[in-house]
Amino acid sequence: MPAATASGADATPNGNAKSRDHNQGNQDKKYTVEQKAAVIRVRRCSATAFYEILGLEKSCSDAEVKKAYRKLSLLTHPDKNGYEGADEAFKLVSRAFQVLSDAEKKQKYDQFGGDPDSRFGASSASTASPFSGFARTPGGGRGPMFEDEISPEELFNRFFGGGGMGGGPFGAFDSGPQFVFNLGGGPGFRVHQFGGGRPRRRPREANGDPNQAPQSAGSVLSNLLPLLILFVLPLLSSIFSSSTPAGPSFRFETPEPPYTMQRTMPRLRVDYYLNPADVEDYSNRNFKDLDRKAETSYVTNLQYDCQTEIRTRNRMIDEAQGWFFPDVDKMRAARNFDMRSCRKLDEWDYSRGRTFRVAADNAQIRNKRLAKLGSQATPKSDQYGEGTSNEAGSIPSLQPPTSPSQEQKEQIKPKINISSSSPSSKPTGNPFAPLGVKERLGASPQINIKPGPETGMASRRSPNADQVRRSSRGGESLPEWEDKILRGIFRLTLDPSVRTDSHGHPLSFVKSIREELEDQRQPIRLEAAILDQAILEAASNVSKITPLDYLLGCWKRVTGQLKHHKGNKAEEKKLEVLKEARRLCMSYCIFAITMPEMFGRELSNTTPLVSHLLVDPEDERGICHDFLAEAVSRFADDDTIEPALVGAVEDLSRQLARMTMNDDYKSYVLALRHLVRYPPLVKAIARSPLFSPSSTSASELEATTLLGPFFAISPLQADITSQYFSSPKTRDRAFITNSQRSLRMALTTHQQDLLDIVNQIIRSDKGARDSILDWFALCVNKNHKRRAMQVDKKLVSSDGFMINVTVCLDQLCEPFMDAQFSKIDRIDVEYLRRHPRVDIKEETKLNMDQNSSDIFYAKAAEGTNNFISEVFFLALAAHHYGTESTNQTLSQLEKDLKRMEKHIEEIEIDRHKWINSPVQLKMFDNAVKKYKDQIDKGLSYKFAVQGVLLDETMQARSLQFMRYVTVWLLRLVSASDFPKQSIKLPLSPDPSKVFEALPEYFLEDVVGAYRFVMRNMPWTISSTQSDELIILCITFLRNSEMIKNPYLKSGLVTIMFAGTWPAPNRPKGVLGDLLRGMPIATEHLLHALMKFYIEVENTGAHTQFYDKFNIRYEIFQIIKCVWGNSIYREHLDKESKVNVDFFVRFVNLLLNDVTFVLDESLSAFQQIHNLSEELQNPEHLEQSVRQEKEEALSGAKSKAKSYMQLTNETVAMLKLFTEALADAFTMPEIVQRLADMLDYNLDVLVGPKSIELKVENAREYDFQPKALLADIIDVYLNLKSKESFIFAVARDGRSYKPANFEKATSILRLRAKDLKSPEELRAWTALGALFKKAKEADDQAEDDLGEIPDEFLDPLMATLMTDPVILPTSKSIVDRSTIRSHLLSDPTDPFNRAPLKIEEIVPATELKGRIEVFKAEKRGAKLAEVNIMDTSPG
């Protein structure tokens, strides 16, 4: 049966064994994309980042913890997830749930960090002893070591209601194969069983007789001491020895990329494999150390495998026993079970190891035997192993036992020593002794009873070992205690024959100290007076470690002693000794950092502190809080400490600059987070020349500034995007979504770390705060080119870097962005005139040219800038050059990818040309492959950018900031206390210079942010944000003269247009209902939209022709959304009567658009028809000609679709307006143009040329001629009661044709019965008759006039003038209606092109009178008698 193994050799202190190589038992199982993504994300997390593992915030509820565990445990369970590393991910998830679901553990974790049960965790700081977890609790229970530990599998079954056969969501879990893992991290040595039968519990202590008297402390100690010595301490040895930092990962027996470099273990002759990249700088000495490490790991793996095999066989034997008689077949299978790992260990004659349960059972058996003898055991310290690691504060005694007093001798009882029969019975020549692997003993342990002094070290050890170590024995003098404690702290010896302590730690023999003491005939013992020389000698003589490694271990031990030292007067002398030892230890640590040559070491290019800062502070090699606090306190006394620490931070930054999110970047970030908690150190770091060098270019910010590499870590780095989205074209939507979710979680955690770092810097010191603000300003000011039309990525900072900067600044703004806007007055607009950090000199201003802007900002404002203003304006700039620039990049990337996809299709069409030339075909295929790889790379980057930008939390925070910008702008432009006071529109026509001089991006960022969210995630917009957004849009469209850039104003229209798109649970969109009902909208929206409809006729850009139609289309959609509210129709009617010229201009442009877009659509259809016929036989065309015509056809199709869509919308809008405002549309200035337009379009649709409108796939272009005809007829019918309209249609000499009305009637009756009712058809027929009658009457009246004098004719229209006017510059006389219509399209005199306004024309009163006389004479009463509206018979 396969059994998983777990090696502790490469385990990190908290049990995150990244380099473990084992068969986890699920390799043959399949896994889904979501399961793989979950495993990858969880394994990237630190072992103690419990919130990150479960994907939760620190403020999560208990229900959210359970929900997250339920989801992740199902995804990562190794019985269902066959992806490599699922077992480790499942363990991490289980441990995170165990901690976060326990209120007490969660509180400790939140307060101190680290694993609350870990011997290295922060919670251990509150205990009295490093071994206090093994002692009984005050309430009589057991400490963490003997808690009823729950395996991940058992936790899983309990959580899901399992526990028996078939329990849990996966069915019969307990019948599967067993998997045994060493979880590490927590207290003690945990062996957990997955699958198989339910794990056996540790034997609990039997309940005693309730009548029995309570045990005394001595009795408790005597009962517990053998168990501690015989079992716990050896187990601690195996655990502590695995707490060293992991080196390069390796694989055993078979290579697995990237582990391809083969090496052979020198003792076992077993091959193992390395990643060459991990050891490229290794020396021979490094490789020897690695060989030994590999051997240790390999043997340990075998031992774990062997224990699993033993348990599996025992279980099989138990199952074979049966209730009444054994099952012979099962028993045979159990006896024949292959125990390969145990067999290997037996061949080499090494111990098979012990599991926790077996060791505990043996210890209880020994305890029972000892109890019968009425004594305690005194086991040898090396009974089970060597080389145990000692915690801070645990000092083994090296002082020989003193002679007992007479009273003590009387209390001496026989002692029990457990050992082998004789030392000589041990096999010799063990090749693995240096590895810490014990040989199997040939003889069984024997119990010898002999007297022993009670004052011996082993007999003095109590469950609270540290308390014993810190107290002096009866009769022990201060010099003896001083000697003992200093030897233990610094691991020194003055006896050349004693080279290890009782725990197997090597001791340094200080030869010169002994010689000096002997020469002076002083007692051979250590004291504080000679400690200086002893430390120097010991640190200089270390070989396998560095002097700093040695001294940091000493520091941890002396600090631990000081923490546990009693503060009474009797201990003052001892306290002085410890303080002096601590002082000297720190001094030599500093020497090891700043002057390694003092210890005979060469000075390195990088400070030795870096490697220690990357280790967990609680690790013996780590830099702890006490060390940094002491080092910082010495800044004033020692001027070498500050440069050393600052240099270490700089080295951290340089190393991180070469890393990506794929690497172990987390330790660097955590190291900086740890360091910035010390204000003096932050102050020093901020003065570093690397912190904010002004000469750095934008592209170098991420690598050369001190904080740059930390902010550069992002999933948008090139290698990372390819990892998250490999083979992007083959991935389904679920995979992409899961990958994006995983990407966001990793980035969010990193961004929170960055915020913590920045917050600590800001709060530490004003100088440091100014420095970090300078750095942020440097980031935005150097990246102005990110908003260029064509961005060269090599000259600017990356998207990921700038997004991290933007998010951090957004989070810094959160404290002052409350819902009541109580601090908005602190945002001082005069900041921009007080030498601001943000450079706006070259930015385009809202309504001021560059020269005026320079003059305005040249005069500096008085006062000082506050922090809120600094952060606010920096965040605005960061949005412009950060997230908004990335939005722009994403849009452009999508267009480029479409273009590239189309191009590759065109290229592959020509592949057949090279089919007969293998060489050229290969070159062709290689070129195509490279092109496709670029497309894949771009597609991966697109998915990654979407994953980052579509983070709801980030966008919600961004919109909260933009809400503040919106309110701030409205307060500024309206000079009111908005939102407490409503805004009165229209605003003053003379806005303040301060507003006009603001950079355009202040408003552009708001527009861009809301536009992106409206299109991608509209549900994130709150109702309050919607209100303020609508007010912003209407305010600046109603007072459009305040903003110079028409495209910026069009963005306001786009936001409202996008707000009317249907969204989940909002059929009218996010803004639709508000636009229909808000008072400011019902009163001002239509006027604002009509005003911009007119303005957009001329934008000044080369694309204005196309832009105006796109904008007008969006305006139509907004009007259609709100038209159901009758208030809007009433306001429009009022507008047509009050602002006649304004309304006439709007209608004139509307009519122009209808005619133009329909003409363009029909011409495009004709072009499509002709090109399609030509391309039906492409073989007759040359390739270049064919390609040219295909491109022309594609352009014509796109043009036809766009124009046809706009035609339908414009006609629909005209239909709505004429239905509600018939009087307004029949004003003299409008009615003739309206009639001409309708007649022209009717002729196009039903006249002789209508046969040319036959288009294949007409619906593809949204071309529905019958529906369009029906809409135009509706416009006719809406105005049928207006006599001026009837005559206007009849007087259209170019397009009015009675036959067209008859043809339209025929089409509607025969082919489109569903479009018009019989009543509407009868009305249409009657209207046609009216037009014919009016035409006849008008012709008769014209005949009656006879010859008209030229002076009475309009020079432009050649018709009789009714209201002649004189043009002021050319002195020409035209009819008023003619010049009014002309000025709607062209504001110049039609005769000399001079500027002209309607107000400047002069009425030709005298000429008008003569015309009236002429008409009266010629037409007389005859014309008055004609009543064309009389439809009665006869």
Side-chain angles (χ1 to χ4, degrees):
M1 180 182 296
T5 64
S7 169
D10 293 325
T12 60
N14 285 323
N16 183 16
K18 292 183 178 179
S19 60
R20 292 176 181 166
D21 178 61
H22 55 268
N23 176 14
Q24 64 185 39
N26 63 346
Q27 281 78 2
D28 296 331
K29 291 185 173 65
K30 297 181 179 179
Y31 54 87
T32 66
V33 172
E34 187 177 12
Q35 287 175 327
K36 176 182 176 182
V39 170
I40 292 174
R41 185 192 69 76
V42 171
R43 292 188 67 194
R44 282 204 187 99
C45 301
S46 168
T48 56
F50 299 136
Y51 288 108
E52 182 182 355
I53 289 171
L54 294 182
L56 297 171
E57 298 292 337
K58 196 171 183 180
S59 59
C60 63
S61 64
D62 186 55
E64 290 173 328
V65 173
K66 292 179 181 178
K67 180 180 179 182
Y69 171 71
R70 179 183 293 109
K71 178 180 180 181
L72 281 174
S73 61
L74 292 173
L75 283 174
T76 59
H77 197 289
D79 276 9
K80 289 294 181 182
N81 189 339
Y83 187 69
E84 181 182 2
D87 59 327
E88 182 179 345
F90 180 65
K91 289 183 290 180
L92 293 172
V93 170
S94 300
R95 183 57 188 155
F97 177 68
Q98 286 177 332
V99 172
L100 298 184
S101 61
D102 185 306
E104 182 179 354
K105 292 180 181 178
K106 184 174 183 293
Q107 182 181 4
K108 290 182 179 179
Y109 176 69
D110 290 342
Q111 185 175 2
F112 301 107
D115 192 326
D117 292 337
S118 173
R119 62 187 183 277
F120 296 122
S123 59
S124 64
S126 62
T127 60
S129 163
F131 294 98
S132 60
F134 298 175
R136 292 181 181 274
T137 60
R142 294 189 179 273
M145 180 64 185
F146 293 104
E147 285 179 351
D148 188 13
E149 295 173 339
I150 303 175
S151 71
E153 183 68 19
E154 186 175 358
L155 174 68
F156 182 88
N157 287 336
R158 287 188 183 182
F159 185 84
F160 288 100
M165 296 294 291
F170 294 129
F173 255 126
D174 294 340
S175 61
Q178 291 181 343
F179 302 89
V180 181
F181 297 91
N182 170 17
L183 293 184
F189 182 80
R190 302 183 183 182
V191 177
H192 292 299
Q193 174 182 335
F194 292 179
R198 290 181 61 81
R200 298 184 183 179
R201 301 291 183 84
R202 296 186 177 85
R204 294 183 178 273
E205 192 172 58
N207 294 328
D209 185 353
N211 299 321
Q212 185 178 353
Q215 290 180 309
S216 65
S219 177
V220 173
L221 178 62
S222 64
N223 288 335
L224 189 58
L225 183 59
L227 180 61
L228 289 172
I229 296 176
L230 295 177
F231 166 63
V232 175
L233 294 182
L235 284 180
L236 287 174
S237 300
S238 63
I239 295 172
F240 289 1
S241 62
S242 66
S243 63
T244 56
S249 302
F250 41 80
R251 297 289 183 268
F252 296 118
E253 298 181 351
T254 57
E256 177 185 350
Y259 302 94
T260 55
M261 179 179 177
Q262 180 179 352
R263 287 191 62 82
T264 304
M265 304 175 196
R267 301 176 187 273
L268 290 181
R269 311 308 300 171
V270 174
D271 294 336
Y272 71 102
Y273 300 87
L274 302 165
N275 183 350
D278 291 345
V279 295
E280 57 185 3
D281 57 346
Y282 265 42
S283 63
N284 289 335
R285 178 179 175 181
N286 294 138
F287 277 114
K288 289 180 181 179
D289 292 340
L290 192 58
D291 290 341
R292 289 195 292 271
K293 180 179 177 181
E295 289 173 338
T296 302
S297 179
Y298 186 72
V299 173
T300 305
N301 285 348
L302 287 178
Q303 289 176 325
Y304 285 140
D305 283 350
C306 177
Q307 289 304 311
T308 303
E309 292 167 355
I310 292 173
R311 280 193 298 275
T312 303
R313 187 180 64 178
N314 290 341
R315 180 176 58 79
M316 293 172 68
I317 293 174
D318 291 341
E319 292 174 352
Q321 293 293 344
W323 283 100
F324 302 103
F325 52 87
D327 186 321
V328 176
D329 293 334
K330 287 186 177 181
M331 187 63 73
R332 184 182 300 110
R335 299 300 182 190
N336 295 334
F337 177 72
D338 183 18
M339 300 176 64
R340 185 175 63 89
S341 300
C342 294
R343 189 168 61 252
K344 280 190 176 182
L345 291 170
D346 292 341
E347 290 172 357
W348 291 327
D349 199 27
Y350 293 109
S351 170
R352 293 183 175 184
R354 291 179 173 84
T355 64
F356 187 93
R357 182 180 61 80
V358 174
D361 291 343
N362 292 343
Q364 284 196 348
I365 294 172
R366 291 191 185 93
N367 284 341
K368 291 179 180 179
R369 292 178 180 173
L370 295 174
K372 292 180 180 180
L373 295 173
S375 184
Q376 299 178 0
T378 310
K380 292 185 179 180
S381 61
D382 60 350
Q383 178 73 19
Y384 289 102
E386 300 173 352
T388 57
S389 178
N390 198 16
E391 288 187 313
S394 176
I395 310 299
S397 174
L398 302 178
Q399 184 73 14
T402 58
S403 300
S405 64
Q406 183 62 32
E407 182 180 355
Q408 291 170 329
K409 289 180 180 180
E410 292 175 358
Q411 297 177 355
I412 291 177
K413 296 181 180 180
K415 307 300 177 187
I416 302 174
N417 291 332
I418 302 177
S419 64
S420 301
S421 57
S422 65
S424 60
S425 64
K426 295 182 180 180
T428 60
N430 176 14
F432 297 99
L435 302 178
V437 180
K438 298 298 294 181
E439 297 180 279
R440 293 191 301 156
L441 303 180
S444 302
Q446 296 182 353
I447 301 177
N448 298 324
I449 302 176
K450 61 181 180 180
E454 189 172 308
T455 55
M457 180 192 72
S459 64
R460 290 198 315 274
R461 186 163 301 161
S462 67
N464 195 343
D466 183 66
Q467 193 175 26
V468 174
R469 290 180 179 127
R470 291 190 291 105
S471 62
S472 61
R473 301 163 301 172
E476 184 179 52
S477 65
L478 179 62
E480 291 172 336
W481 176 89
E482 184 177 7
D483 175 54
K484 177 196 71 174
I485 204 71
L486 294 179
R487 292 190 192 198
I489 289 172
F490 293 96
R491 291 182 180 167
L492 304 175
T493 179
L494 295 173
D495 185 351
S497 63
V498 179
R499 290 305 178 100
T500 59
D501 63 12
S502 59
H503 290 284
H505 297 123
L507 301 178
S508 178
F509 174 53
V510 282
K511 181 179 179 181
S512 62
I513 298 296
R514 181 180 179 90
E515 291 175 350
E516 185 175 340
L517 292 174
E518 289 175 344
D519 290 343
Q520 297 176 4
R521 298 188 178 183
Q522 297 292 327
I524 307 301
R525 60 189 176 206
L526 284 175
E527 58 184 20
I530 60 173
L531 183 59
D532 192 345
Q533 181 181 348
I535 294 174
L536 178 59
E537 182 176 351
S540 301
N541 292 337
V542 294
S543 56
K544 295 183 179 180
I545 58 175
T546 66
L548 185 56
D549 287 334
Y550 164 73
L551 291 166
L552 284 176
C554 299
W555 170 263
K556 296 285 179 67
R557 291 188 288 274
V558 70
T559 303
Q561 283 295 308
L562 276 169
K563 286 182 179 179
H564 301 141
H565 193 78
K566 294 180 180 179
N568 53 42
K569 293 184 178 180
E571 300 287 328
E572 285 183 359
K573 295 291 185 181
K574 296 178 181 178
L575 184 61
E576 291 177 3
V577 172
L578 291 174
K579 285 183 176 180
E580 176 63 11
R582 186 174 185 267
R583 184 189 68 80
L584 290 173
C585 186
M586 171 53 72
S587 298
Y588 275 99
C589 284
I590 294 171
F591 290 146
I593 296 168
T594 59
M595 293 188 297
E597 59 270 20
M598 173 184 287
F599 305 95
R601 304 300 172 105
E602 294 182 0
L603 188 64
S604 174
N605 292 330
T606 59
T607 173
L609 266 178
V610 172
S611 61
H612 297 277
L613 288 170
L614 298 177
V615 179
D616 189 320
E618 299 301 321
D619 188 274
E620 190 168 278
R621 294 186 66 249
I623 304 296
C624 64
H625 165 73
D626 297 310
F627 181 90
L628 286 173
E630 177 67 19
V632 168
S633 69
R634 295 190 179 198
F635 275 8
D637 301 327
D638 189 339
D639 58 4
T640 64
I641 303 176
E642 180 182 315
L645 290 174
V646 173
V649 176
E650 293 173 347
D651 285 342
L652 284 173
S653 178
R654 292 188 188 98
Q655 292 183 17
L656 185 61
R658 299 190 291 269
M659 296 184 178
T660 67
M661 214 172 218
N662 270 342
D663 302 310
D664 184 21
Y665 72 93
K666 190 76 174 178
S667 58
Y668 290 82
V669 178
L670 294 179
L672 185 58
R673 278 188 63 184
H674 184 48
L675 291 170
V676 295
R677 289 190 294 175
Y678 304 92
L681 180 55
V682 173
K683 189 175 180 180
I685 292 172
R687 292 195 299 266
S688 167
L690 297 183
F691 196 88
S692 183
S694 58
S695 60
T696 303
S697 65
S699 58
E700 295 174 339
L701 281 170
E702 300 173 56
T704 60
T705 63
L706 194 127
L707 292 179
F710 295 90
F711 278 79
I713 294 296
S714 167
L716 298 186
Q717 291 168 302
D719 296 339
I720 310 301
T721 59
S722 300
Q723 176 184 339
Y724 274 102
F725 305 99
S726 57
S727 303
K729 290 183 181 177
T730 64
R731 302 299 186 180
D732 57 17
R733 190 66 231 173
F735 174 88
I736 294 171
T737 301
N738 288 333
S739 297
Q740 288 175 336
R741 187 182 299 115
S742 176
L743 172 152
R744 282 195 292 269
M745 292 181 68
L747 180 59
T748 300
T749 302
H750 178 59
Q751 288 172 343
Q752 187 59 47
D753 289 337
L754 294 178
L755 176 65
D756 291 343
I757 292 170
V758 172
N759 261 330
Q760 291 290 346
I761 295 175
I762 288 174
R763 295 173 181 175
S764 62
D765 174 74
K766 184 181 183 303
R769 183 181 68 188
D770 289 340
S771 295
I772 191 69
L773 293 177
D774 287 341
W775 183 78
F776 280 127
L778 185 69
C779 293
V780 296
N781 292 336
K782 292 287 185 179
N783 278 289
H784 284 201
K785 291 183 179 179
R786 280 178 57 85
R787 295 312 300 265
M789 294 297 294
Q790 298 292 332
V791 181
D792 186 348
K793 294 294 185 181
K794 297 178 181 179
L795 301 179
V796 296
S797 299
S798 68
D799 292 330
F801 173 81
M802 291 304 296
I803 287 175
N804 286 339
V805 169
T806 306
V807 170
C808 187
L809 285 168
D810 273 352
Q811 291 172 316
L812 290 178
C813 291
E814 281 186 306
F816 64 80
M817 293 193 304
D818 60 309
Q820 292 73 34
F821 302 97
S822 61
K823 298 181 180 179
I824 197 167
D825 288 332
R826 300 288 305 279
I827 302 172
D828 186 2
V829 69
E830 296 296 343
Y831 164 85
L832 298 173
R833 300 177 65 189
R834 295 196 194 101
H835 308 290
R837 285 185 166 87
V838 181
D839 181 11
I840 62 169
K841 180 176 176 58
E842 302 300 326
E843 293 293 340
T844 305
K845 307 305 186 293
L846 281 172
N847 200 15
M848 192 176 284
D849 58 38
Q850 187 63 45
N851 184 54
S852 301
S853 171
D854 292 341
I855 295 173
F856 177 79
Y857 284 111
K859 185 178 180 180
E862 296 180 356
T864 57
N865 294 326
N866 58 65
F867 179 73
I868 289 179
S869 297
E870 293 274 14
V871 176
F872 178 81
F873 289 106
L874 280 171
L876 257 176
H879 272 277
H880 187 60
Y881 302 112
T883 51
E884 295 307 314
S885 174
T886 307
N887 288 345
Q888 178 180 310
T889 299
L890 179 60
S891 299
Q892 186 60 46
L893 179 60
E894 290 174 339
K895 296 176 183 177
D896 291 342
L897 287 173
K898 289 181 181 179
R899 177 181 52 79
M900 293 172 73
E901 290 282 3
K902 184 178 179 181
H903 185 54
I904 200 69
E905 291 175 2
E906 295 172 353
I907 292 176
E908 290 185 321
I909 293 176
D910 297 330
R911 189 177 186 276
H912 66 278
K913 296 180 178 180
W914 321 109
I915 200 71
N916 296 322
S917 176
V919 176
Q920 290 183 330
L921 181 63
K922 184 177 180 180
M923 294 173 62
F924 177 87
D925 289 341
N926 289 338
V928 170
K929 182 179 182 303
K930 289 181 180 179
Y931 200 81
K932 288 183 175 180
D933 288 344
Q934 288 299 315
I935 294 176
D936 284 350
K937 187 177 179 181
L939 198 56
S940 297
Y941 191 74
K942 170 190 166 183
F943 290 147
V945 172
Q946 288 176 335
V948 172
L949 293 180
L950 296 181
D951 182 354
E952 290 191 18
T953 303
M954 184 186 83
Q955 291 297 343
R957 189 186 299 116
S958 173
L959 291 186
Q960 176 68 3
F961 175 75
M962 291 305 166
R963 182 191 179 200
Y964 247 68
V965 178
T966 298
V967 172
W968 183 77
L969 286 172
L970 289 173
R971 289 167 66 93
L972 182 63
V973 76
S974 66
S976 65
D977 189 16
F978 180 80
K980 295 179 181 178
Q981 297 176 354
S982 59
I983 295 178
K984 306 291 184 182
L985 296 180
L987 298 175
S988 169
D990 298 318
S992 66
K993 295 294 182 182
V994 173
F995 175 80
E996 291 183 332
L998 291 179
E1000 268 187 2
Y1001 71 73
F1002 279 37
L1003 184 57
E1004 185 181 355
D1005 285 356
V1006 177
V1007 172
Y1010 277 105
R1011 183 164 49 197
F1012 179 83
V1013 173
M1014 285 286 187
R1015 290 176 175 174
N1016 296 283
M1017 44 205 313
W1019 56 88
T1020 60
I1021 301 177
S1022 67
S1023 58
T1024 53
Q1025 290 170 345
S1026 300
D1027 291 348
E1028 291 147 2
L1029 179 60
I1030 289 174
I1031 294 172
L1032 178 81
C1033 294
I1034 293 176
T1035 298
F1036 287 115
L1037 288 174
R1038 185 69 175 81
N1039 297 82
S1040 58
E1041 64 278 357
M1042 290 185 169
I1043 302 173
K1044 182 171 55 176
N1045 186 347
Y1047 293 99
L1048 188 53
K1049 288 180 280 190
S1050 73
L1052 300 173
V1053 175
T1054 301
I1055 290 176
M1056 291 191 289
F1057 165 59
T1060 62
W1061 291 351
N1065 302 320
R1066 296 181 179 182
K1068 292 188 178 298
V1070 178
L1071 304 180
D1073 291 330
L1074 293 174
L1075 289 171
R1076 285 169 63 97
M1078 279 184 69
I1080 192 173
T1082 56
E1083 187 173 355
H1084 299 287
L1085 177 60
L1086 267 183
H1087 183 94
L1089 293 175
M1090 292 167 63
K1091 183 178 182 180
F1092 191 58
Y1093 187 100
I1094 296 170
E1095 287 182 9
V1096 82
E1097 180 71 16
N1098 297 292
T1099 63
H1102 68 281
T1103 58
Q1104 68 176 14
F1105 185 76
Y1106 303 99
D1107 295 336
K1108 70 176 182 181
F1109 289 117
N1110 292 330
I1111 296 169
R1112 286 172 177 173
Y1113 173 81
E1114 294 177 352
I1115 290 175
F1116 290 153
Q1117 300 306 308
I1118 299 171
I1119 294 176
K1120 285 172 64 176
C1121 176
V1122 303
W1123 195 250
N1125 188 343
S1126 61
I1127 298 178
Y1128 280 100
R1129 296 193 289 274
E1130 294 171 4
H1131 278 294
L1132 186 60
D1133 183 50
K1134 180 181 178 182
E1135 195 80 45
S1136 68
K1137 296 174 182 177
V1138 176
N1139 297 318
V1140 178
D1141 290 341
F1142 173 80
F1143 184 79
V1144 168
R1145 289 188 66 193
F1146 169 73
V1147 174
N1148 180 70
L1149 293 174
L1150 182 65
L1151 299 179
N1152 286 346
D1153 287 349
V1154 172
T1155 304
F1156 175 80
V1157 294
L1158 182 58
D1159 275 349
E1160 290 296 313
S1161 300
L1162 299 181
S1163 65
F1165 290 144
Q1166 184 64 42
Q1167 187 180 6
I1168 292 171
H1169 177 75
N1170 295 337
L1171 289 171
S1172 299
E1173 287 188 346
E1174 292 179 18
L1175 290 171
Q1176 283 181 352
N1177 299 310
E1179 61 274 4
H1180 300 298
L1181 300 174
E1182 295 182 3
Q1183 180 181 351
S1184 58
V1185 176
R1186 176 175 57 83
Q1187 185 174 351
E1188 182 180 344
K1189 290 186 178 296
E1190 287 175 348
E1191 292 176 356
L1193 178 61
S1194 176
K1197 288 181 177 180
S1198 177
K1199 177 182 175 182
K1201 186 173 183 180
S1202 299
Y1203 279 125
M1204 199 65 240
Q1205 189 177 23
L1206 190 58
T1207 299
N1208 294 332
E1209 294 298 331
T1210 309
V1211 172
M1213 193 59 48
L1214 185 63
K1215 177 181 172 181
L1216 289 178
F1217 285 168
T1218 54
E1219 181 182 12
L1221 306 169
D1223 290 336
F1225 277 83
T1226 53
M1227 291 188 297
E1229 297 87 350
I1230 296 174
V1231 66
Q1232 191 59 54
R1233 294 212 60 203
L1234 175 61
D1236 293 347
M1237 180 274 295
L1238 291 173
D1239 290 343
Y1240 173 79
N1241 288 324
L1242 182 65
D1243 185 54
V1244 169
L1245 291 174
V1246 302
K1249 293 185 178 181
S1250 62
I1251 194 172
E1252 299 177 1
L1253 299 181
K1254 292 183 179 180
V1255 180
E1256 294 183 3
N1257 302 321
R1259 289 191 175 274
E1260 178 184 346
Y1261 314 106
D1262 203 18
F1263 179 45
Q1264 303 176 49
K1266 297 173 186 176
L1268 182 60
L1269 175 62
D1271 285 343
I1272 290 177
I1273 289 175
D1274 283 337
V1275 176
Y1276 276 105
L1277 294 175
N1278 288 340
L1279 304 174
K1280 65 182 180 180
S1281 62
K1282 303 301 177 182
E1283 184 177 357
S1284 60
F1285 176 69
I1286 301 296
F1287 273 108
V1289 172
R1291 289 170 181 165
D1292 179 12
R1294 185 181 67 166
S1295 301
Y1296 171 68
K1297 301 171 184 176
N1300 288 344
F1301 290 86
E1302 297 172 2
K1303 182 69 176 294
T1305 303
S1306 175
I1307 291 174
L1308 291 175
R1309 282 178 177 170
L1310 299 178
R1311 305 178 189 175
K1313 297 179 181 180
D1314 56 328
L1315 295 178
K1316 288 293 176 233
S1317 66
E1319 292 78 8
E1320 289 174 318
L1321 286 175
R1322 284 195 291 271
W1324 172 248
T1325 303
L1327 183 60
L1330 283 178
F1331 291 145
K1332 185 182 295 187
K1333 188 174 181 181
K1335 175 66 173 173
E1336 293 171 355
D1338 196 61
D1339 289 345
Q1340 183 62 48
E1342 188 174 348
D1343 291 341
D1344 293 341
L1345 287 174
E1347 188 70 25
I1348 301 173
D1350 290 343
E1351 62 175 330
F1352 294 168
L1353 293 175
D1354 185 283
L1356 296 178
M1357 303 299 295
T1359 58
L1360 180 65
M1361 294 186 288
T1362 58
D1363 186 10
V1365 294
I1366 302 171
L1367 305 184
T1369 57
S1370 65
K1371 304 302 180 181
S1372 300
I1373 298 177
V1374 296
D1375 193 69
R1376 181 183 296 274
S1377 61
T1378 302
I1379 192 61
R1380 184 187 293 273
S1381 297
H1382 169 78
L1383 292 177
L1384 292 175
S1385 304
D1386 188 354
T1388 62
D1389 188 320
F1391 299 99
N1392 62 6
R1393 312 309 298 170
L1396 178 64
K1397 294 181 180 179
I1398 192 66
E1399 295 83 5
E1400 298 173 348
I1401 62 175
V1402 180
T1405 308
E1406 187 270 334
L1407 180 60
K1408 182 178 180 181
R1410 289 195 290 127
I1411 293 174
E1412 292 296 333
V1413 171
F1414 172 78
K1415 290 167 60 178
E1417 291 177 352
K1418 292 291 185 179
R1419 301 175 65 180
K1422 186 175 181 179
L1423 184 61
E1425 293 174 358
V1426 179
N1427 185 1
I1428 61 119
M1429 300 302 293
D1430 182 8
T1431 58
S1432 60

